[in-house]
Amino acid sequence: MKVLYILNDSCFYRRMCWFSINSLRYYNKSIEIEILYICDNGKDNRKIANLNDFDLGIPWFTREMFIEEISKFNVVFRFVYDCDLGEESGFPSAQRKEFIKVKGKDILLLDSDTFIFDDIEPLFSHTTNSEIIASKTEWGECGGFLPILGTSLSPFNSGVILFKDDLLQKYGSEVYDLILEIKYEKTDLGKWYGDYERKYSPKEAFKLGREEIAFSYWVVKEKLKYSYFDQSEVQTVNYKSQTKIYHTMTQNWLQQWSRFYRGSKFLPPKKLNKRLFIRPSS
């Protein structure tokens, strides 16, 4: 049982990761945390709206500074120096192929653009017998679905996923090829997704969505038992109510950071006292 982050040499993602782990440790001092750190010297960084240019009191880290500071939270690093993305260079989601190097079973994968508002260890004892537990994409929450191998699936957001057993490593061994299958429309799903994105989304959005589509396809292809986190466990994009994990999405992170932090001081939302809603006995 462990929590896993995958990170590369993006300055902004290092910042987000520090705050995510800072908030995680606020509620759980002992759960194992591992960072799969891809030493790519920034060549595969995702660029979104000049987010690297913001300061506003957010700590700035070089790789060496980040390692030193994050190690104070009792974090294990697994460094990868030879991640060759080939034709997918510049597409950091393809770095998930390095999951094959992670050891252990029952792994909760967290994106760096998350805030933790409660102890997440109970998620590992999820009452379902699912092998994969994740949340839906925003599109899926609105009723969208993917046609996959003769069935329909509300697509997964791949920013918060609980992989049971050794499924994380298995996914890592296949994700790169699956991404290429989507890119070159080698499957019916790839053709459908290509048509959809050419019609509704800019080219960059198409590129950034392929790994999540590939993950959804993989779950169906492998005939895995899956379920979705409920709103009390994970919320994505919009923070609506009390939850354990809030996945902001990168483009929204800065605004939400200013909501829950003052400099490096964590200001989590206050939990509602359930006793306030209990009708007193007569």
Side-chain angles (χ1 to χ4, degrees):
M1 179 180 72
K2 74 170 70 171
V3 176
L4 176 71
Y5 293 83
I6 181 170
L7 191 64
N8 69 352
D9 278 323
S10 164
C11 175
F12 195 77
Y13 276 77
R14 282 195 293 252
R15 293 181 179 197
M16 292 194 295
C17 187
W18 188 93
F19 283 99
S20 180
I21 293 176
N22 174 269
S23 64
L24 191 160
R25 281 291 186 234
Y26 185 88
Y27 296 101
N28 190 308
K29 306 295 185 184
S30 60
I31 193 169
E32 183 179 355
I33 301 175
E34 179 175 322
I35 297 177
L36 179 63
Y37 196 104
I38 313 299
C39 302
D40 64 356
N41 295 312
K43 65 182 178 66
D44 295 318
N45 287 357
R46 180 183 178 191
K47 299 177 178 63
I48 301 179
N50 298 315
L51 287 176
N52 284 326
D53 295 336
F54 286 103
D55 187 10
L56 303 178
I58 306 176
W60 183 90
F61 303 106
T62 63
R63 184 197 298 174
E64 292 73 21
M65 292 166 58
F66 175 77
I67 293 169
E68 179 180 355
E69 290 299 317
I70 211 72
S71 293
K72 297 175 183 177
F73 294 119
N74 189 24
V75 172
V76 174
F77 279 90
R78 187 175 301 275
F79 295 101
V80 178
Y81 296 96
D82 57 351
C83 181
D84 181 7
L85 294 186
E87 65 179 272
E88 290 300 288
S89 180
F91 183 40
S93 293
Q95 293 176 340
R96 293 185 173 212
K97 71 188 186 75
E98 301 298 338
F99 285 161
I100 60 173
K101 297 178 180 176
V102 176
K103 307 298 183 182
K105 298 181 178 181
D106 295 350
I107 296 174
L108 179 64
L109 176 68
L110 292 182
D111 272 0
S112 294
D113 52 358
T114 52
F115 294 114
I116 312 304
F117 296 145
D118 204 347
D119 182 9
I120 60 176
E121 194 163 340
L123 295 179
F124 289 88
S125 302
H126 211 273
T127 55
T128 70
N129 62 350
S130 301
E131 298 166 289
I132 294 289
I133 309 172
S135 55
K136 297 179 182 180
T137 62
E138 188 175 16
W139 182 60
E141 291 285 1
C142 294
F145 63 90
L146 297 175
I148 304 176
L149 300 176
T151 189
S152 297
L153 174 77
S154 291
F156 296 109
N157 180 293
S158 61
V160 182
I161 306 172
L162 178 58
F163 292 85
K164 293 295 186 70
D165 300 320
D166 58 356
L167 287 173
L168 177 112
Q169 294 87 347
K170 182 173 175 56
Y171 178 59
S173 71
E174 299 183 41
V175 59
Y176 189 86
D177 290 339
L178 291 172
I179 287 172
L180 291 182
E181 286 184 16
I182 298 297
K183 179 178 182 177
Y184 291 116
E185 303 180 15
K186 292 183 177 180
T187 63
D188 289 342
L189 175 62
K191 293 173 183 176
W192 177 89
Y193 187 60
D195 290 342
Y196 179 87
E197 290 297 318
R198 282 188 290 271
K199 183 176 181 180
Y200 294 109
S201 300
K203 184 176 181 181
E204 181 66 11
F206 169 63
K207 186 176 183 181
L208 293 174
R210 281 185 287 124
E211 187 272 327
E212 287 186 330
I213 298 300
F215 175 70
S216 297
Y217 177 79
W218 176 77
V219 170
V220 175
K221 178 178 71 72
E222 295 297 318
K223 299 179 180 179
L224 300 175
K225 297 177 182 178
Y226 66 86
S227 60
Y228 300 97
F229 289 118
D230 64 36
Q231 292 288 299
S232 69
E233 296 168 326
V234 179
Q235 293 176 25
T236 305
V237 181
N238 297 310
Y239 178 73
K240 308 178 186 72
S241 58
Q242 192 169 311
T243 192
K244 292 182 180 296
I245 301 173
Y246 174 33
H247 183 197
T248 66
M249 307 295 285
T250 301
Q251 63 271 23
N252 306 316
W253 183 87
L254 188 69
Q255 180 182 9
Q256 297 305 321
W257 169 84
S258 64
R259 180 180 179 183
F260 299 118
Y261 275 89
R262 294 292 181 271
S264 297
K265 184 179 180 181
F266 185 38
L267 303 173
K270 294 181 179 180
K271 295 183 180 180
L272 294 175
N273 186 343
K274 294 182 179 179
R275 297 185 62 183
L276 296 175
F277 300 93
I278 299 176
R279 185 188 300 274
S281 57
S282 57

